Amino acid sequence: MAEKFIRNHEFNFIRKQVDVIKDSYKKGSDKNVINAVKDSAYSKIIDLFPNAADNQLDVLDLSRLKTEAEFDHYLENASSFLLLFPNITDQQIKKMFPKNKKLKMPNLDSIDLESITYLSWTDIGTNKKFLIYEMNKKLVGIECRYNLLSRNNVCSFCNTHGQVAFISSVTKAKKINNPDYYKAIGNYICFDSSICNQKMTSVNYLETFIKEIFQENG
Ligand SMILES: [Zn+2]
């Protein structure tokens, strides 16, 4: 079995490209158009994996796919190369939020580690949303306040329209001369992180958001 190499959001991206190709078949586009769509999809996909080995490129190659069954098989095969979100224990989570003495814990058993780019859960009682993400091989935790909005909006993380909450971070980025200062960084993000994780095709925004929070602000 070859090494796993596809992250959740990359898989979402691949699925989206497959949908584009399927669409051009459904529209009855001619062969040249379909081939051009396939070429473009493939080049966008392999751009995500600049260091892909030949056997990995084979997994990603979709030039020969035509039927619905072939597309399904392609995605199913690609999904067997999905990387897992790092296994994390309750103890590790508590350590990530040392100031929160009444930390509400996520139900880790209910989370499919193959299907998330970031781990998130909410504490409705205190209006807090927690995020954990692996950045540069290190797990980072972020505690945010949230306000659920009555109107749908575009989520900054997955860039799609849906039920969003306005979140502002309350962790890290302390001012050196004032340890109680918390930099507030606001964003609209999906209230339901499992939906967000299904739609996310890039981590650019998420990583920028995290970097900003952890940036020294002295
Ligand atoms: Zn989202």
Side-chain angles (χ1 to χ4, degrees):
M1 183 79 191
E3 216 178 308
K4 296 176 186 275
F5 69 101
I6 302 172
R7 296 169 74 193
N8 168 66
H9 58 277
E10 293 167 337
F11 184 75
N12 293 342
F13 185 89
I14 294 169
R15 198 175 45 212
K16 219 169 156 181
Q17 293 304 317
V18 166
D19 286 343
V20 172
I21 300 171
K22 277 190 188 168
D23 235 38
S24 65
Y25 272 110
K26 268 184 210 143
K27 281 187 205 142
S29 309
D30 75 43
K31 212 178 152 197
N32 292 334
V33 171
I34 288 174
N35 284 340
V37 171
K38 279 182 176 172
D39 284 349
S40 145
Y42 184 58
S43 79
K44 283 180 195 162
I45 290 170
I46 59 172
D47 272 355
L48 302 178
F49 306 95
N51 304 313
D54 285 348
N55 60 331
Q56 294 172 330
L57 293 175
D58 285 346
V59 172
L60 303 172
D61 183 8
L62 34 67
S63 59
R64 285 182 296 272
L65 312 179
K66 280 193 183 111
T67 64
E68 193 80 16
E70 284 167 345
F71 285 112
D72 288 350
H73 180 260
Y74 169 86
L75 286 175
E76 204 183 306
N77 182 52
S79 75
S80 66
F81 293 91
L82 272 169
L83 288 160
L84 290 179
F85 189 84
N87 238 317
I88 189 166
T89 62
D90 283 358
Q91 216 48 40
Q92 281 171 298
I93 292 176
K94 279 178 193 149
K95 265 195 190 153
M96 295 177 100
F97 302 99
K99 289 196 168 169
N100 193 323
K101 303 293 176 216
K102 290 180 185 164
L103 182 66
K104 188 193 162 201
M105 299 300 293
N107 180 3
L108 292 173
D109 295 336
S110 71
I111 293 162
D112 181 3
L113 297 176
E114 263 181 10
S115 313
I116 57 168
T117 294
Y118 68 96
L119 172 66
S120 178
W121 68 101
T122 47
D123 182 351
I124 296 168
T126 56
N127 266 59
K128 292 238 173 105
K129 193 164 175 66
F130 301 88
L131 274 81
I132 295 179
Y133 177 67
E134 188 182 37
M135 187 122 143
N136 305 323
K137 301 200 185 300
K138 204 176 160 242
L139 286 169
V140 291
I142 293 165
E143 183 177 328
C144 304
R145 287 185 200 288
Y146 76 84
N147 285 305
L148 199 53
L149 301 186
S150 53
R151 277 192 194 175
N152 287 0
N153 210 320
V154 176
C155 163
S156 299
F157 291 172
C158 67
N159 217 9
T160 64
H161 208 256
Q163 188 191 28
V164 294
F166 179 78
I167 58 162
S168 53
S169 161
V170 288
T171 15
K172 313 294 173 194
K174 294 171 193 160
K175 265 188 180 167
I176 285 165
N177 58 356
N178 179 4
D180 294 327
Y181 171 85
Y182 290 105
K183 189 175 174 180
I185 298 167
N187 277 285
Y188 294 120
I189 68 161
C190 289
F191 182 62
D192 184 337
S193 65
S194 66
I195 293 177
C196 195
N197 271 299
Q198 277 167 32
K199 292 177 175 175
M200 241 175 124
T201 55
S202 155
V203 289
N204 288 349
Y205 195 92
L206 174 62
E207 293 198 347
T208 306
F209 171 71
I210 292 171
K211 274 183 208 146
E212 228 176 288
I213 290 168
F214 281 83
Q215 214 170 53
E216 278 301 316
N217 195 35

